[in-house]
Amino acid sequence: MRLRFAPSPTGQLHVGNARTALFNWLLAHGKEGTFILRIEDTDAERSTRESEAGILDDLRWLGLDWDEGPDVEGPHGPYRQSERLHLYASYANELMAGNHAYYCFCSPQQLDADRRARLDEGLPPGYLGTCRNLSPEEVQRRLDAGERPVIRFRVPEGVDVAFQDLVRGEVTFSSAVISDPVIVRSDGRPQYNFAVVVDDALMEITHVIRGEDHISNTPRQLLMYQALGFTPPHFAHLSLVMGPDHTPLSKRHGATSVAQFRERGYLPEALVNYLALLGWSPGGDEELLPIGELASRFEIEDVGHSAGIFDPEKLAWMNRHYMKAASPGRLAAESARYFLQAGYILQRTPEAMEYLASLLPMAVGSVDRLEEIPERVRFVFAYDAVAALARPEIAAVLDDPGARAVLAALAEEITGPLLDRESFRAMANRIKDRTGQKGKSLFHPIRAAMTGEGGGPELDLAVPAIDRGAALAAGARVSRIMSCHERARSFARATEKL
RNA sequence: GUCCCCAUCGUCCAGAGGCCUAGGACGUGGCCCUUUCAAGGCUAAAACGCGGGUUCGAAUCCCGCUGGGGACGCCA
């Protein structure tokens, strides 16, 4: 079994395409097949090496590695269409020689006018067949006159083209509705429908899994397989990924490219797991499965027929799950960039990374994305008693009759660093005994003084984290962290001024 | 307009003629836990688009309608 993913490098990898790549990968890996990456860069105007590099990078990040492709090569290379031009030329000649193709001299303007006219008449806007039966003499004359024709494939008349789609069953088209496609452009570059056929045949692809938008290309490709004497592969057409308004997922729905999800702090296994479940079910009740498990359960025939709506909420849920499952060290490495951006750490020193790793477990259960982690532990790095008290919800803490007593006791009780939860709890208990405050009345003022916020992670985790940070030496390259001792005094002072 | 594809809770799936009083997950509501916000646990509401057949029996098969999507490029 040989499968391929064939993106055109004209932009970032879209999640819909990533899903197509994933389904190909899952089938290849579940069946001990070969997964091939081919770059479809015949559109010279829009294709760039930057996009290609980006797409390869995104696929690797997702964990969708390939056995043959432009960077690894293999027995059926090259794997970039722009490097296979001689092959297309040779097969185009073969088609011309067999009268399966012909020169078409119609100008783009003419074609466009024809199309409009047909549409206005309520007719299908396909190619009219103007140049289908030009005499050899006229062809030669126009060639000699310097005209640059395209080559069109001659679609046989009056036949039905049918194929067994692996996900949809039998699909039939009448050749009457298929107009002669361009296979070679006037500048000699091959056109998509032709290049895929040549490549899939030469690369011995056995299963073509692609988007539903290609379903109507399939009959003309099948006809070309026939004319070229190739055995066609099996086809499977995946329904498209839509936005909440049932239109194809696009920028106005928010993030759509793998790079953007990566940027925003989604973990690759979350995106992979989510995408796999969009249009397919591994069976049973579990949905959170590693990619290898997804592969071993994957059957292309089980893929759903209808379009799926991309649900960011469910993705977020999966991402939370995988963030909680990730090791603190990995989390620190993955989210360091956001801490750098926020200015909370100045450099990725081993001490800074270790400190981040110690900080993350308390934050990770309550955010959707890595990007949101710094905000969740902001209180550690950016503490300002005066600014905090300027906020109504913090000032309101003082309304509680016992609050000032708690704050006074707090300032006296913190005499040194509180480096573990036991010392914090012991201190909280001493304040409780001294002031008679408990529960909310006890902890709210403490939280306000220690973090400057009205909510956040549990205090017996947060407080030691603050003092561990405050103890970090300057060489650790973490922005200066005010200790709990300093905070208590600073907050008490700011309170007196109110 | 023509051709093709599709149709189960708001969303993603399960369901391959009786196991369906239609199951799970996300989301939503409620309750519990709790020093807060989350998280977590429990729980509730929530769907077979419509109309005809076939059959003893249809979410499941057939036809039509409606609705949605795709294609109709010297883009891929």
Side-chain angles (χ1 to χ4, degrees), chain A residues 355-385:
Chain A
Y355 179 58
L356 279 194
S358 78
L359 219 45
L360 299 186
M362 74 170 148
V364 87
S366 52
V367 296
D368 289 346
R369 299 176 269 124
L370 296 169
E371 186 187 44
E372 298 168 335
I373 292 178
E375 177 60 26
R376 184 74 181 165
V377 293
R378 174 179 189 282
F379 64 87
V380 172
F381 302 92
Y383 176 85
D384 182 334

PDB file of all heavy atoms in Angstrom, chain A residues 355-385:
ATOM      1  N   TYR A 355      12.946  26.596  36.986  1.00  0.00           N
ATOM      2  CA  TYR A 355      11.958  27.337  37.751  1.00  0.00           C
ATOM      3  C   TYR A 355      10.595  27.302  37.049  1.00  0.00           C
ATOM      4  O   TYR A 355       9.569  27.061  37.674  1.00  0.00           O
ATOM      5  CB  TYR A 355      12.412  28.781  37.966  1.00  0.00           C
ATOM      6  CG  TYR A 355      11.412  29.593  38.744  1.00  0.00           C
ATOM      7  CD1 TYR A 355      11.018  29.174  40.021  1.00  0.00           C
ATOM      8  CD2 TYR A 355      10.814  30.730  38.211  1.00  0.00           C
ATOM      9  CE1 TYR A 355      10.072  29.882  40.751  1.00  0.00           C
ATOM     10  CE2 TYR A 355       9.864  31.448  38.924  1.00  0.00           C
ATOM     11  CZ  TYR A 355       9.502  31.010  40.193  1.00  0.00           C
ATOM     12  OH  TYR A 355       8.557  31.696  40.900  1.00  0.00           O
ATOM     13  N   LEU A 356      10.602  27.503  35.734  1.00  0.00           N
ATOM     14  CA  LEU A 356       9.347  27.431  34.971  1.00  0.00           C
ATOM     15  C   LEU A 356       8.693  26.064  35.163  1.00  0.00           C
ATOM     16  O   LEU A 356       7.492  25.963  35.407  1.00  0.00           O
ATOM     17  CB  LEU A 356       9.607  27.629  33.468  1.00  0.00           C
ATOM     18  CG  LEU A 356       9.780  29.043  32.956  1.00  0.00           C
ATOM     19  CD1 LEU A 356       9.682  29.039  31.434  1.00  0.00           C
ATOM     20  CD2 LEU A 356       8.712  29.952  33.538  1.00  0.00           C
ATOM     21  N   ALA A 357       9.506  25.029  35.064  1.00  0.00           N
ATOM     22  CA  ALA A 357       8.967  23.678  35.199  1.00  0.00           C
ATOM     23  C   ALA A 357       8.301  23.507  36.564  1.00  0.00           C
ATOM     24  O   ALA A 357       7.275  22.839  36.684  1.00  0.00           O
ATOM     25  CB  ALA A 357      10.066  22.649  35.007  1.00  0.00           C
ATOM     26  N   SER A 358       8.856  24.150  37.582  1.00  0.00           N
ATOM     27  CA  SER A 358       8.271  24.017  38.919  1.00  0.00           C
ATOM     28  C   SER A 358       6.971  24.811  39.035  1.00  0.00           C
ATOM     29  O   SER A 358       6.121  24.531  39.857  1.00  0.00           O
ATOM     30  CB  SER A 358       9.269  24.500  39.973  1.00  0.00           C
ATOM     31  OG  SER A 358       9.284  25.919  40.026  1.00  0.00           O
ATOM     32  N   LEU A 359       6.829  25.794  38.177  1.00  0.00           N
ATOM     33  CA  LEU A 359       5.684  26.697  38.222  1.00  0.00           C
ATOM     34  C   LEU A 359       4.468  26.153  37.448  1.00  0.00           C
ATOM     35  O   LEU A 359       3.320  26.393  37.805  1.00  0.00           O
ATOM     36  CB  LEU A 359       6.126  28.002  37.554  1.00  0.00           C
ATOM     37  CG  LEU A 359       5.691  29.348  38.090  1.00  0.00           C
ATOM     38  CD1 LEU A 359       5.833  29.414  39.585  1.00  0.00           C
ATOM     39  CD2 LEU A 359       6.562  30.426  37.406  1.00  0.00           C
ATOM     40  N   LEU A 360       4.742  25.446  36.369  1.00  0.00           N
ATOM     41  CA  LEU A 360       3.689  25.125  35.418  1.00  0.00           C
ATOM     42  C   LEU A 360       2.590  24.177  35.898  1.00  0.00           C
ATOM     43  O   LEU A 360       1.431  24.386  35.556  1.00  0.00           O
ATOM     44  CB  LEU A 360       4.312  24.596  34.122  1.00  0.00           C
ATOM     45  CG  LEU A 360       5.224  25.640  33.468  1.00  0.00           C
ATOM     46  CD1 LEU A 360       5.690  25.141  32.119  1.00  0.00           C
ATOM     47  CD2 LEU A 360       4.493  26.952  33.300  1.00  0.00           C
ATOM     48  N   PRO A 361       2.919  23.158  36.664  1.00  0.00           N
ATOM     49  CA  PRO A 361       1.840  22.240  37.034  1.00  0.00           C
ATOM     50  C   PRO A 361       0.642  22.928  37.682  1.00  0.00           C
ATOM     51  O   PRO A 361      -0.493  22.530  37.471  1.00  0.00           O
ATOM     52  CB  PRO A 361       2.528  21.274  38.004  1.00  0.00           C
ATOM     53  CG  PRO A 361       3.943  21.256  37.544  1.00  0.00           C
ATOM     54  CD  PRO A 361       4.223  22.678  37.135  1.00  0.00           C
ATOM     55  N   MET A 362       0.872  23.994  38.428  1.00  0.00           N
ATOM     56  CA  MET A 362      -0.268  24.643  39.082  1.00  0.00           C
ATOM     57  C   MET A 362      -1.090  25.477  38.092  1.00  0.00           C
ATOM     58  O   MET A 362      -2.225  25.822  38.359  1.00  0.00           O
ATOM     59  CB  MET A 362       0.208  25.521  40.242  1.00  0.00           C
ATOM     60  CG  MET A 362       0.864  26.795  39.829  1.00  0.00           C
ATOM     61  SD  MET A 362       1.104  27.836  41.279  1.00  0.00           S
ATOM     62  CE  MET A 362       2.597  28.689  40.850  1.00  0.00           C
ATOM     63  N   ALA A 363      -0.512  25.790  36.965  1.00  0.00           N
ATOM     64  CA  ALA A 363      -1.213  26.656  36.015  1.00  0.00           C
ATOM     65  C   ALA A 363      -1.879  25.863  34.897  1.00  0.00           C
ATOM     66  O   ALA A 363      -2.887  26.264  34.332  1.00  0.00           O
ATOM     67  CB  ALA A 363      -0.233  27.654  35.403  1.00  0.00           C
ATOM     68  N   VAL A 364      -1.317  24.709  34.596  1.00  0.00           N
ATOM     69  CA  VAL A 364      -1.656  24.033  33.365  1.00  0.00           C
ATOM     70  C   VAL A 364      -3.069  23.430  33.347  1.00  0.00           C
ATOM     71  O   VAL A 364      -3.674  23.268  32.293  1.00  0.00           O
ATOM     72  CB  VAL A 364      -0.571  22.975  33.067  1.00  0.00           C
ATOM     73  CG1 VAL A 364      -0.889  21.668  33.763  1.00  0.00           C
ATOM     74  CG2 VAL A 364      -0.390  22.821  31.586  1.00  0.00           C
ATOM     75  N   GLY A 365      -3.586  23.125  34.513  1.00  0.00           N
ATOM     76  CA  GLY A 365      -4.916  22.515  34.543  1.00  0.00           C
ATOM     77  C   GLY A 365      -6.029  23.485  34.225  1.00  0.00           C
ATOM     78  O   GLY A 365      -7.155  23.082  33.955  1.00  0.00           O
ATOM     79  N   SER A 366      -5.715  24.759  34.243  1.00  0.00           N
ATOM     80  CA  SER A 366      -6.806  25.719  34.132  1.00  0.00           C
ATOM     81  C   SER A 366      -6.704  26.635  32.930  1.00  0.00           C
ATOM     82  O   SER A 366      -7.391  27.640  32.868  1.00  0.00           O
ATOM     83  CB  SER A 366      -6.876  26.552  35.409  1.00  0.00           C
ATOM     84  OG  SER A 366      -5.612  27.083  35.691  1.00  0.00           O
ATOM     85  N   VAL A 367      -5.854  26.301  31.996  1.00  0.00           N
ATOM     86  CA  VAL A 367      -5.796  27.107  30.771  1.00  0.00           C
ATOM     87  C   VAL A 367      -6.020  26.199  29.559  1.00  0.00           C
ATOM     88  O   VAL A 367      -5.844  24.991  29.636  1.00  0.00           O
ATOM     89  CB  VAL A 367      -4.438  27.848  30.613  1.00  0.00           C
ATOM     90  CG1 VAL A 367      -4.240  28.842  31.725  1.00  0.00           C
ATOM     91  CG2 VAL A 367      -3.284  26.851  30.565  1.00  0.00           C
ATOM     92  N   ASP A 368      -6.419  26.821  28.458  1.00  0.00           N
ATOM     93  CA  ASP A 368      -6.662  26.053  27.245  1.00  0.00           C
ATOM     94  C   ASP A 368      -5.397  25.853  26.425  1.00  0.00           C
ATOM     95  O   ASP A 368      -5.268  24.877  25.702  1.00  0.00           O
ATOM     96  CB  ASP A 368      -7.685  26.781  26.358  1.00  0.00           C
ATOM     97  CG  ASP A 368      -9.083  26.746  26.952  1.00  0.00           C
ATOM     98  OD1 ASP A 368      -9.309  25.945  27.882  1.00  0.00           O
ATOM     99  OD2 ASP A 368      -9.930  27.514  26.482  1.00  0.00           O
ATOM    100  N   ARG A 369      -4.511  26.833  26.513  1.00  0.00           N
ATOM    101  CA  ARG A 369      -3.345  26.824  25.627  1.00  0.00           C
ATOM    102  C   ARG A 369      -2.089  27.247  26.361  1.00  0.00           C
ATOM    103  O   ARG A 369      -2.160  28.005  27.335  1.00  0.00           O
ATOM    104  CB  ARG A 369      -3.579  27.805  24.462  1.00  0.00           C
ATOM    105  CG  ARG A 369      -4.748  27.456  23.619  1.00  0.00           C
ATOM    106  CD  ARG A 369      -5.006  28.496  22.552  1.00  0.00           C
ATOM    107  NE  ARG A 369      -5.926  29.525  22.992  1.00  0.00           N
ATOM    108  CZ  ARG A 369      -5.650  30.825  22.982  1.00  0.00           C
ATOM    109  NH1 ARG A 369      -4.472  31.254  22.580  1.00  0.00           N
ATOM    110  NH2 ARG A 369      -6.540  31.692  23.383  1.00  0.00           N
ATOM    111  N   LEU A 370      -0.953  26.833  25.863  1.00  0.00           N
ATOM    112  CA  LEU A 370       0.334  27.195  26.454  1.00  0.00           C
ATOM    113  C   LEU A 370       0.477  28.712  26.533  1.00  0.00           C
ATOM    114  O   LEU A 370       1.016  29.251  27.485  1.00  0.00           O
ATOM    115  CB  LEU A 370       1.477  26.634  25.608  1.00  0.00           C
ATOM    116  CG  LEU A 370       1.581  25.112  25.514  1.00  0.00           C
ATOM    117  CD1 LEU A 370       2.588  24.731  24.443  1.00  0.00           C
ATOM    118  CD2 LEU A 370       1.965  24.528  26.857  1.00  0.00           C
ATOM    119  N   GLU A 371      -0.031  29.369  25.511  1.00  0.00           N
ATOM    120  CA  GLU A 371       0.081  30.822  25.409  1.00  0.00           C
ATOM    121  C   GLU A 371      -0.527  31.522  26.630  1.00  0.00           C
ATOM    122  O   GLU A 371      -0.128  32.620  26.989  1.00  0.00           O
ATOM    123  CB  GLU A 371      -0.657  31.261  24.136  1.00  0.00           C
ATOM    124  CG  GLU A 371      -0.527  32.696  23.779  1.00  0.00           C
ATOM    125  CD  GLU A 371      -1.437  33.037  22.591  1.00  0.00           C
ATOM    126  OE1 GLU A 371      -2.607  32.598  22.584  1.00  0.00           O
ATOM    127  OE2 GLU A 371      -0.969  33.721  21.686  1.00  0.00           O
ATOM    128  N   GLU A 372      -1.514  30.873  27.255  1.00  0.00           N
ATOM    129  CA  GLU A 372      -2.209  31.516  28.372  1.00  0.00           C
ATOM    130  C   GLU A 372      -1.532  31.289  29.722  1.00  0.00           C
ATOM    131  O   GLU A 372      -1.966  31.840  30.738  1.00  0.00           O
ATOM    132  CB  GLU A 372      -3.651  30.978  28.457  1.00  0.00           C
ATOM    133  CG  GLU A 372      -4.470  31.281  27.225  1.00  0.00           C
ATOM    134  CD  GLU A 372      -5.784  30.507  27.205  1.00  0.00           C
ATOM    135  OE1 GLU A 372      -5.859  29.430  27.840  1.00  0.00           O
ATOM    136  OE2 GLU A 372      -6.737  30.977  26.567  1.00  0.00           O
ATOM    137  N   ILE A 373      -0.501  30.462  29.724  1.00  0.00           N
ATOM    138  CA  ILE A 373       0.128  30.121  30.996  1.00  0.00           C
ATOM    139  C   ILE A 373       0.771  31.321  31.713  1.00  0.00           C
ATOM    140  O   ILE A 373       0.544  31.512  32.904  1.00  0.00           O
ATOM    141  CB  ILE A 373       1.148  28.972  30.809  1.00  0.00           C
ATOM    142  CG1 ILE A 373       0.387  27.689  30.453  1.00  0.00           C
ATOM    143  CG2 ILE A 373       1.964  28.758  32.079  1.00  0.00           C
ATOM    144  CD1 ILE A 373       1.286  26.498  30.204  1.00  0.00           C
ATOM    145  N   PRO A 374       1.547  32.141  30.997  1.00  0.00           N
ATOM    146  CA  PRO A 374       2.174  33.260  31.710  1.00  0.00           C
ATOM    147  C   PRO A 374       1.156  34.140  32.442  1.00  0.00           C
ATOM    148  O   PRO A 374       1.396  34.536  33.589  1.00  0.00           O
ATOM    149  CB  PRO A 374       2.873  34.037  30.592  1.00  0.00           C
ATOM    150  CG  PRO A 374       3.169  33.010  29.564  1.00  0.00           C
ATOM    151  CD  PRO A 374       1.979  32.083  29.596  1.00  0.00           C
ATOM    152  N   GLU A 375       0.038  34.402  31.808  1.00  0.00           N
ATOM    153  CA  GLU A 375      -0.994  35.215  32.428  1.00  0.00           C
ATOM    154  C   GLU A 375      -1.481  34.587  33.731  1.00  0.00           C
ATOM    155  O   GLU A 375      -1.756  35.261  34.721  1.00  0.00           O
ATOM    156  CB  GLU A 375      -2.154  35.399  31.444  1.00  0.00           C
ATOM    157  CG  GLU A 375      -3.352  36.168  31.976  1.00  0.00           C
ATOM    158  CD  GLU A 375      -2.986  37.592  32.418  1.00  0.00           C
ATOM    159  OE1 GLU A 375      -1.997  38.145  31.900  1.00  0.00           O
ATOM    160  OE2 GLU A 375      -3.708  38.120  33.296  1.00  0.00           O
ATOM    161  N   ARG A 376      -1.570  33.271  33.720  1.00  0.00           N
ATOM    162  CA  ARG A 376      -2.062  32.538  34.885  1.00  0.00           C
ATOM    163  C   ARG A 376      -1.095  32.636  36.070  1.00  0.00           C
ATOM    164  O   ARG A 376      -1.502  32.539  37.221  1.00  0.00           O
ATOM    165  CB  ARG A 376      -2.291  31.068  34.476  1.00  0.00           C
ATOM    166  CG  ARG A 376      -2.882  30.182  35.544  1.00  0.00           C
ATOM    167  CD  ARG A 376      -4.351  30.440  35.778  1.00  0.00           C
ATOM    168  NE  ARG A 376      -4.875  29.569  36.842  1.00  0.00           N
ATOM    169  CZ  ARG A 376      -6.024  29.737  37.457  1.00  0.00           C
ATOM    170  NH1 ARG A 376      -6.815  30.742  37.105  1.00  0.00           N
ATOM    171  NH2 ARG A 376      -6.417  28.924  38.405  1.00  0.00           N
ATOM    172  N   VAL A 377       0.189  32.804  35.796  1.00  0.00           N
ATOM    173  CA  VAL A 377       1.171  32.927  36.878  1.00  0.00           C
ATOM    174  C   VAL A 377       1.808  34.315  36.899  1.00  0.00           C
ATOM    175  O   VAL A 377       2.891  34.515  37.441  1.00  0.00           O
ATOM    176  CB  VAL A 377       2.269  31.838  36.793  1.00  0.00           C
ATOM    177  CG1 VAL A 377       1.681  30.467  37.059  1.00  0.00           C
ATOM    178  CG2 VAL A 377       2.967  31.871  35.436  1.00  0.00           C
ATOM    179  N   ARG A 378       1.098  35.229  36.302  1.00  0.00           N
ATOM    180  CA  ARG A 378       1.552  36.610  36.217  1.00  0.00           C
ATOM    181  C   ARG A 378       1.894  37.172  37.600  1.00  0.00           C
ATOM    182  O   ARG A 378       2.857  37.912  37.778  1.00  0.00           O
ATOM    183  CB  ARG A 378       0.410  37.411  35.594  1.00  0.00           C
ATOM    184  CG  ARG A 378       0.611  38.875  35.541  1.00  0.00           C
ATOM    185  CD  ARG A 378      -0.593  39.525  34.882  1.00  0.00           C
ATOM    186  NE  ARG A 378      -0.284  40.923  34.646  1.00  0.00           N
ATOM    187  CZ  ARG A 378      -0.316  41.844  35.576  1.00  0.00           C
ATOM    188  NH1 ARG A 378      -0.679  41.524  36.804  1.00  0.00           N
ATOM    189  NH2 ARG A 378       0.017  43.088  35.300  1.00  0.00           N
ATOM    190  N   PHE A 379       1.102  36.802  38.592  1.00  0.00           N
ATOM    191  CA  PHE A 379       1.270  37.326  39.948  1.00  0.00           C
ATOM    192  C   PHE A 379       2.673  37.089  40.500  1.00  0.00           C
ATOM    193  O   PHE A 379       3.143  37.820  41.363  1.00  0.00           O
ATOM    194  CB  PHE A 379       0.224  36.716  40.883  1.00  0.00           C
ATOM    195  CG  PHE A 379       0.365  35.224  41.060  1.00  0.00           C
ATOM    196  CD1 PHE A 379       1.212  34.700  42.032  1.00  0.00           C
ATOM    197  CD2 PHE A 379      -0.345  34.340  40.246  1.00  0.00           C
ATOM    198  CE1 PHE A 379       1.352  33.333  42.191  1.00  0.00           C
ATOM    199  CE2 PHE A 379      -0.201  32.972  40.402  1.00  0.00           C
ATOM    200  CZ  PHE A 379       0.658  32.465  41.376  1.00  0.00           C
ATOM    201  N   VAL A 380       3.321  36.047  40.004  1.00  0.00           N
ATOM    202  CA  VAL A 380       4.670  35.751  40.487  1.00  0.00           C
ATOM    203  C   VAL A 380       5.636  36.852  40.047  1.00  0.00           C
ATOM    204  O   VAL A 380       6.457  37.329  40.827  1.00  0.00           O
ATOM    205  CB  VAL A 380       5.164  34.394  39.943  1.00  0.00           C
ATOM    206  CG1 VAL A 380       6.644  34.176  40.293  1.00  0.00           C
ATOM    207  CG2 VAL A 380       4.314  33.258  40.487  1.00  0.00           C
ATOM    208  N   PHE A 381       5.499  37.247  38.794  1.00  0.00           N
ATOM    209  CA  PHE A 381       6.495  38.131  38.180  1.00  0.00           C
ATOM    210  C   PHE A 381       6.142  39.604  38.273  1.00  0.00           C
ATOM    211  O   PHE A 381       7.015  40.447  38.298  1.00  0.00           O
ATOM    212  CB  PHE A 381       6.680  37.751  36.710  1.00  0.00           C
ATOM    213  CG  PHE A 381       7.096  36.318  36.532  1.00  0.00           C
ATOM    214  CD1 PHE A 381       6.145  35.317  36.344  1.00  0.00           C
ATOM    215  CD2 PHE A 381       8.435  35.968  36.586  1.00  0.00           C
ATOM    216  CE1 PHE A 381       6.527  33.992  36.195  1.00  0.00           C
ATOM    217  CE2 PHE A 381       8.830  34.640  36.440  1.00  0.00           C
ATOM    218  CZ  PHE A 381       7.873  33.650  36.236  1.00  0.00           C
ATOM    219  N   ALA A 382       4.864  39.910  38.218  1.00  0.00           N
ATOM    220  CA  ALA A 382       4.456  41.309  38.168  1.00  0.00           C
ATOM    221  C   ALA A 382       3.565  41.620  39.365  1.00  0.00           C
ATOM    222  O   ALA A 382       2.343  41.523  39.288  1.00  0.00           O
ATOM    223  CB  ALA A 382       3.718  41.585  36.858  1.00  0.00           C
ATOM    224  N   TYR A 383       4.178  41.951  40.470  1.00  0.00           N
ATOM    225  CA  TYR A 383       3.415  42.263  41.674  1.00  0.00           C
ATOM    226  C   TYR A 383       3.533  43.738  41.984  1.00  0.00           C
ATOM    227  O   TYR A 383       4.629  44.300  41.990  1.00  0.00           O
ATOM    228  CB  TYR A 383       3.933  41.446  42.859  1.00  0.00           C
ATOM    229  CG  TYR A 383       3.246  41.785  44.160  1.00  0.00           C
ATOM    230  CD1 TYR A 383       2.042  41.187  44.504  1.00  0.00           C
ATOM    231  CD2 TYR A 383       3.804  42.724  45.025  1.00  0.00           C
ATOM    232  CE1 TYR A 383       1.399  41.520  45.682  1.00  0.00           C
ATOM    233  CE2 TYR A 383       3.174  43.070  46.206  1.00  0.00           C
ATOM    234  CZ  TYR A 383       1.971  42.463  46.542  1.00  0.00           C
ATOM    235  OH  TYR A 383       1.330  42.790  47.693  1.00  0.00           O
ATOM    236  N   ASP A 384       2.379  44.378  42.243  1.00  0.00           N
ATOM    237  CA  ASP A 384       2.389  45.802  42.576  1.00  0.00           C
ATOM    238  C   ASP A 384       1.210  46.074  43.498  1.00  0.00           C
ATOM    239  O   ASP A 384       0.059  46.108  43.064  1.00  0.00           O
ATOM    240  CB  ASP A 384       2.282  46.628  41.293  1.00  0.00           C
ATOM    241  CG  ASP A 384       2.344  48.132  41.564  1.00  0.00           C
ATOM    242  OD1 ASP A 384       1.983  48.541  42.696  1.00  0.00           O
ATOM    243  OD2 ASP A 384       2.736  48.872  40.656  1.00  0.00           O
ATOM    244  N   ALA A 385       1.490  46.238  44.766  1.00  0.00           N
ATOM    245  CA  ALA A 385       0.433  46.383  45.770  1.00  0.00           C
ATOM    246  C   ALA A 385      -0.450  47.601  45.496  1.00  0.00           C
ATOM    247  O   ALA A 385      -1.674  47.525  45.590  1.00  0.00           O
ATOM    248  CB  ALA A 385       1.051  46.481  47.157  1.00  0.00           C
TER     249      ALA A 385
END
